[in-house]
Amino acid sequence: MEDKLDSKIKILIWIGVVTLLTVCFAAVPLFTDNLSFMFYMMLWIIMASAFNFVAGLAGYMPFGYVAFYGVGAYATGILYKTFGLPIPVALIGAGLMGVAVGLLLAPTLRLRGVYFGIVSLALAMAAKLTIALMPAEITGGSLGLILSSANNPLAAYYAMFIVLLMLLACGTWLSMSRTGTALRAIRDDQEAAAVVGVNVVGTRMKAWISAALFPALVGGVEAWYTNAIDLESSFNLLITAKSIVYAMAGGLGYLVGPILGSGLLYGVDQLIWRQFPTLNLLLLGVIIVVLMLMLPRGIVGAFAQRFSKLRKYIP
Amino acid sequence: MNELLLQGLVNGIILGTIYALIGLSLNVIFGVLRVVNFAHGEFIILGAYGAYFAQQWMGLSPFVAMPLIFAVFGATGYGLYFLLIRRLAKSDDPEHASLLVMFGVAIALGALMLIFFEADSRSLAYSIDPPFFMFGSIIVPTSKLLALGIIVVITAILAWFLYRTLPGKALRAIIMNRDAVQIVGVDLERMSAMTFGLGLGLAGITGVLVALIFPSFSPFIGQDYTLIGFIVIVLGGLGHPVGAVVGGIIFGLTEQTALVYTSGTTATLLGFLLLIGVILVRPTGLFGREALK
């Protein structure tokens, strides 16, 4: 009986968070013309949360996470610019490409621990090189693709908002349904989960494909927002780095962790960036080190450890 | 066999030994400490800058600078162990935690180099007489030949250390079984700090060799060397010293022979595909045992 009440409170808190995010981000364009800050805030919330699907819920650390983002950006650019399809269709194409690449890379899920992380990194580099080798008429070569004819920041903002809503829905499904329970069971003890009848491969795949779909969509929408795609920025390892750092700072394994982490650290990042552009990278590195040494479970994780009675209420 | 291919094979073996050295130092660190040093490439580039400034400011030849750099980097590594690595052992998932901490170190170190050394590529200004040797129709630059010699000597010393000396044997024992060595009285703490020092010292030396062989270096390329090191150790098997040497030479040969027939991009891609192929067939790498938990 108490158990049911607990999970009800947890769900209510989560509904509150979702409502707050929805209202907040939906209303921003009504008050300001400077969408950039909030646009990128959504971007990082999505990137960090989707990373959490596979890292926090399934226990894998894909260091080549940026591959999905880059593939999504290029798929959008190529479908729009080279094949002349409308942007919404191109974005759906980007999502499908993300899922396709996720399926292609699924065999690497057999690997565990750092082996998986390193191979994933190598695969991201391989994806980048593959695009570099494609004919310049399709990918724009070293100059990249310019989508200026599609320029519409407001529409792109709301496209990102829709992706955010999809992400929140997906997070709810992955974490609070039977799938979520199964995922946690697999993460903690794969053999035991299999023994009690959890479909290990299938369940893990759901988390993995979700973690491939969202960065691909985000990459596509970001390309639309900035109107520019090139290899160096689309496959920049810092995208992986920031997704990991934001997710971990908040706390892996909790839905609210990456949201809180992105909100705080992206804000700090922007402040530093404006004040000292050259020191930005250095501080990012130092923040990662300090966070890992001082707060390895993230803010939410540390809170849950300190107030263990409240742990069951944290979504 | 045509001459171009032969030239490619020779280049492959020479570069392969450099890659092997990168992999060797990474693997010693991973084997003993379970730390994946994401910042290895940055330390290598720092070593290259060390050789550059030793020459600019003190007029030291790179060969004289090498032991100095080894000592400085070794001491830094010894200190860094107590500052960073030791605390990681207590975390829930030390391997991933170490990967992330060293990722942070890599980003910070790259940024520091960018701030202090600026973004321009540098190259070492030195010349050796004669500049190259001809073996039949195959050209081998003297610098590469010297580097090859140095690497063979370093590897031999390292092998002697690991297999013939007491600290070396203790070190290998830690790789095999961390818990058991403590029972027989090995000071794990000191050995670990020493290993991290050894690994970074070797990275520094690798940097000097990189400055000798490759036309230029800049703060941005550390990541490339880290990636090559990762490929090499995953190919050979994580934590396995011999595996790193074999992995390095296989990767060097693949890359350099591919370079004879195709572009640099395709050659690099082939290197990555080789890694993925090997991993799918033998998930533990050629010499490894424990990738699947």
Side-chain angles (χ1 to χ4, degrees):
Chain A
M1 193 55 213
E2 205 177 60
D3 238 25
K4 246 186 184 161
L5 185 67
D6 289 345
S7 70
K8 244 186 197 158
I9 296 176
K10 182 172 161 183
I11 289 168
L12 276 176
I13 293 177
W14 177 237
I15 290 173
V17 172
V18 170
T19 317
L20 193 71
L21 285 175
T22 312
V23 173
C24 193
F25 284 110
V28 164
L30 301 176
F31 300 108
T32 174
D33 288 333
N34 184 10
L35 296 176
S36 181
F37 182 77
M38 291 307 257
F39 177 84
Y40 282 99
M41 182 78 90
M42 287 196 286
L43 181 142
W44 289 115
I45 289 178
I46 299 166
M47 290 297 284
S49 296
F51 185 83
N52 185 34
F53 291 165
V54 70
L57 299 176
Y60 287 87
M61 287 270 177
F63 272 82
Y65 188 54
V66 64
F68 301 122
Y69 177 93
V71 163
Y74 264 89
T76 307
I78 291 168
L79 290 175
Y80 175 77
K81 186 91 179 204
T82 314
F83 294 99
L85 294 168
I87 282 284
V89 179
L91 287 177
I92 293 169
L96 291 176
M97 263 318 274
V99 172
V101 173
L103 287 172
L104 193 69
L105 304 189
T108 60
L109 289 174
R110 286 195 297 154
L111 302 168
R112 299 264 26 202
V114 285
Y115 269 90
F116 175 81
I118 293 171
V119 169
S120 157
L121 186 64
L123 281 163
M125 294 299 123
K128 178 184 173 183
L129 292 171
T130 310
I131 292 179
L133 285 174
M134 281 164 65
E137 303 91 74
I138 298 177
T139 62
S142 54
L143 295 173
L145 293 162
I146 305 292
L147 317 176
S148 51
S149 52
N151 184 32
N152 188 347
L154 188 64
Y157 179 90
Y158 277 110
M160 193 61 101
F161 181 66
I162 291 168
V163 179
L164 177 69
L165 295 182
M166 287 166 60
L167 173 105
L168 293 171
C170 182
T172 313
W173 166 63
L174 278 178
S175 170
M176 298 188 171
S177 63
R178 282 179 64 91
T179 309
T181 317
L183 267 173
R184 275 183 284 266
I186 295 169
R187 179 194 59 193
D188 295 337
D189 191 334
Q190 186 176 322
E191 281 81 21
V195 169
V196 297
V198 171
N199 177 355
V200 173
V201 177
T203 311
R204 205 153 54 189
M205 199 62 144
K206 287 178 192 165
W208 174 246
I209 294 300
S210 313
L213 168 70
F214 285 102
L217 288 172
V218 165
V221 177
E222 204 267 350
W224 182 22
Y225 186 78
T226 55
N227 300 318
I229 301 165
D230 69 273
L231 272 177
E232 289 315 315
S233 45
S234 293
F235 284 90
N236 194 333
L237 258 185
L238 279 178
I239 294 175
T240 303
K242 289 191 175 180
S243 307
I244 296 178
V245 174
Y246 293 172
M248 297 216 45
L252 287 176
Y254 299 96
L255 284 176
V256 288
I259 298 174
L260 189 67
S262 312
L264 284 176
L265 279 192
Y266 175 69
V268 173
D269 193 39
Q270 285 302 298
L271 277 177
I272 298 170
W273 174 255
R274 289 209 188 114
Q275 305 282 324
F276 328 93
T278 43
L279 288 182
N280 189 40
L281 213 53
L282 175 62
L283 282 167
L284 178 71
V286 173
I287 288 174
I288 298 179
V289 174
V290 172
L291 262 177
M292 280 313 299
L293 293 179
M294 304 289 174
L295 213 62
R297 293 196 181 93
I299 299 166
V300 178
F303 180 84
Q305 201 181 15
R306 177 82 182 70
F307 305 100
S308 50
K309 277 194 180 138
L310 297 177
R311 186 186 187 134
K312 56 195 172 198
Y313 301 129
I314 304 172
Chain B
M1 206 191 297
N2 76 49
E3 287 158 8
L4 269 177
L5 182 60
L6 210 58
Q7 177 82 52
L9 288 175
V10 170
N11 286 340
I13 288 176
I14 294 176
L15 288 186
T17 53
I18 286 242
Y19 299 158
L21 190 61
I22 301 176
L24 204 55
S25 44
L26 266 176
N27 250 354
V28 168
I29 294 178
F30 181 80
V32 174
L33 301 167
R34 299 281 126 178
V35 162
V36 185
N37 187 8
F38 219 114
H40 214 67
E42 274 72 19
F43 282 110
I44 290 174
I45 299 305
L46 204 59
Y49 275 104
Y52 177 84
F53 286 113
Q55 193 184 42
Q56 292 279 308
W57 295 342
M58 298 182 268
L60 292 180
S61 105
F63 303 101
V64 181
M66 213 174 275
L68 280 177
I69 288 176
F70 179 80
V72 173
F73 275 59
T76 312
Y78 197 88
L80 271 182
Y81 171 79
F82 290 104
L83 190 67
L84 298 177
I85 313 294
R86 195 173 52 165
R87 300 171 188 224
L88 291 174
K90 281 175 270 168
S91 106
D92 303 336
D93 183 355
E95 283 183 17
H96 277 140
S98 76
L99 199 52
L100 284 166
V101 164
M102 296 320 286
F103 196 8
V105 172
I107 293 174
L109 210 53
L112 278 176
M113 287 198 283
L114 199 58
I115 292 168
F116 285 110
F117 307 146
E118 289 160 359
D120 325 327
S121 303
R122 308 284 177 108
S123 42
L124 218 51
Y126 86 111
S127 57
I128 308 173
D129 198 50
F132 57 84
F133 287 96
M134 296 283 290
F135 296 99
S137 56
I138 295 163
I139 306 167
V140 183
T142 316
S143 59
K144 280 191 181 171
L145 219 52
L146 274 170
L148 181 66
I150 292 169
I151 294 170
V152 170
V153 171
I154 292 173
T155 316
I157 294 176
L158 203 62
W160 171 80
F161 170 73
L162 285 175
Y163 289 86
R164 286 282 176 271
T165 68
L166 199 59
K169 284 178 182 171
L171 210 143
R172 280 194 306 129
I174 298 175
I175 297 181
M176 289 169 195
N177 190 335
R178 274 185 86 83
D179 304 320
V181 290
Q182 280 170 294
I183 299 167
V184 298
V186 172
D187 184 349
L188 198 59
E189 189 96 297
R190 241 192 68 220
M191 285 302 295
S192 302
M194 200 192 75
T195 307
F196 203 63
L198 176 67
L200 287 199
L202 288 174
I205 289 188
T206 315
V208 181
L209 295 172
V210 162
L212 275 173
I213 298 193
F214 292 102
S216 68
F217 51 90
S218 74
F220 301 110
I221 55 167
Q223 215 177 68
D224 298 354
Y225 289 101
T226 307
L227 258 175
I228 290 174
F230 281 176
I231 292 178
V232 166
I233 60 173
V234 174
L235 262 181
L238 277 183
H240 201 293
V242 181
V245 175
V246 177
I249 290 174
I250 291 178
F251 182 67
L253 281 175
T254 314
E255 189 193 62
Q256 293 300 315
T257 44
L259 212 51
V260 173
Y261 300 103
T262 60
S263 71
T265 316
T266 318
T268 317
L269 183 60
L270 271 174
F272 287 120
L273 293 180
L274 172 76
L275 168 74
I276 294 154
V278 168
I279 280 301
L280 289 181
V281 180
R282 252 191 86 85
T284 53
L286 297 169
F287 290 80
R289 280 173 283 121
E290 51 167 326
L292 300 165
K293 271 186 195 160

